[in-house]
Amino acid sequence: MDDRPIGIFDSGLGGLTAVRALAAAAPWESFVYLGDTAHAPYGDRSRQELVALSRQNVGFLRGRGVKALLVACNTSTANAMDVMLAENPDLPVMGVIEPAAEAAVSATETGRIGLLATAATVASLAYERAIRRLAPGAEVTASACPRLVPLVEAGRTDPSDPELAAAAREYAAPLLAAGTDTVILGCTHYPIIRAAIRRAVGPDVTLIDSGAASVGALLKALESCGALADKNKTGSRAFFCSAGKETFTRVGSAFLGWEMAGLTQQVEL
Ligand code: DGL
């Protein structure tokens, strides 16, 4: 048993989609969440910058005594997972791409899988590699969505927001044209605008939430090394952001359905 917190990071609000899944599945686990809002969005950055930012975030969380790391950011997972694994051999480090690829491969009936993700995730081809390892015949159609994260970070999550609706339709179009039956929300921000994406892809496509998929894999990894927390206690929750605390807590609280303001500190990274 290990009651130390799980460290979770993202460029901003996106990783809260993993937090929501974690709080529902394992309310006994404590966590420390970092949203690096000062440097968001991550999606258009180079691998070199993403490695540096991922190191910064891991260093911050390690400084808070975490027992494991959940990289709740597809862009960091795609571009810096190798470095984070190599530099943190003493901790379980879980990314979001392998679990989401597994969920998509089990969900698809046609073998045609769509990917909505940031430009840096799409360019890395990390999803294609993960999916082909599991299902060599699968066809992956990817669409980079640079306008979505800035809209989410600005709190524009209403599916009838005309700019959001138009962007979602534009990004979904190549996936629909390729006949995909399963679409990976390959950026943890996207489940926050799930309603807009659902409208754009229609009712019949299965949507895979990469943040939620990773939580199941993380809990299994903790269980296998005897590091789950005491299930008779309620875990503690702490949030940090590196800029814009007011918007971060307002949009985050609305998404999580609980008040984050008193639990959140703004820090300089
Ligand atoms: N939520 C992150 C991801 O999963 C980062 C998005 C961004 O900052 O561009 O890719």
Side-chain angles (χ1 to χ4, degrees):
M1 202 164 345
D2 188 338
D3 284 336
R4 289 177 300 161
I6 297 166
I8 308 172
F9 80 82
D10 177 49
S11 64
L13 291 158
L16 297 183
T17 58
V19 164
R20 187 162 81 171
L22 177 66
W28 56 85
E29 292 294 336
S30 297
F31 62 82
V32 180
Y33 181 85
L34 173 63
D36 183 18
T37 36
H39 302 107
Y42 278 10
D44 303 317
R45 292 181 180 274
S46 67
R47 172 173 154 88
Q48 204 185 356
E49 286 177 296
L50 292 165
V51 167
L53 291 168
S54 301
R55 271 197 186 115
Q56 157 206 279
N57 298 339
V58 169
F60 177 87
L61 292 170
R62 291 204 65 135
R64 269 137 196 93
V66 298
K67 65 178 174 184
L69 289 163
L70 177 56
V71 182
C73 173
N74 288 267
T75 310
S76 287
T77 304
N79 289 277
M81 197 62 190
D82 51 342
V83 175
M84 289 186 277
L85 285 168
E87 293 180 353
N88 299 280
D90 54 323
L91 285 188
V93 184
M94 182 63 65
V96 279
I97 291 182
E98 296 284 337
E102 263 173 45
V105 166
S106 356
T108 185
E109 283 173 12
T110 61
R112 293 192 191 148
I113 297 173
L115 171 67
L116 297 173
T118 66
T121 298
V122 170
S124 75
L125 300 178
Y127 266 106
E128 280 81 348
R129 281 195 297 274
I131 290 168
R132 297 247 160 73
R133 265 198 300 276
L134 299 162
E139 264 173 52
V140 182
T141 305
S143 183
C145 314
R147 302 208 299 282
L148 297 184
V149 168
L151 288 169
V152 174
E153 287 293 324
R156 291 177 59 182
T157 57
D158 182 340
S160 45
D161 180 306
E163 215 179 300
L164 176 61
R169 272 197 308 274
E170 177 189 322
Y171 297 141
L175 277 47
L176 297 176
T180 55
D181 71 342
T182 301
V183 169
I184 300 172
L185 303 179
C187 167
T188 51
H189 280 72
Y190 301 168
I192 302 177
I193 47 166
R194 190 185 183 97
I197 293 173
R198 173 56 75 199
R199 278 191 194 175
V201 298
D204 299 329
V205 167
T206 303
L207 295 177
I208 304 293
D209 177 334
S210 56
S214 68
V215 165
L218 173 71
L219 291 172
K220 255 192 225 152
L222 290 176
E223 189 167 25
S224 71
C225 57
L228 286 173
D230 181 353
K231 292 187 180 174
N232 298 312
K233 291 188 192 154
T234 302
S236 63
R237 300 163 174 188
F239 297 92
F240 294 88
C241 63
S242 51
K245 182 179 158 186
E246 193 278 322
T247 310
F248 178 75
T249 53
R250 180 169 45 79
V251 182
S253 301
F255 173 73
L256 289 175
W258 25 277
E259 189 44 69
M260 280 166 62
L263 304 170
T264 306
Q265 279 178 57
Q266 186 167 319
V267 288
E268 205 159 310
L269 291 176

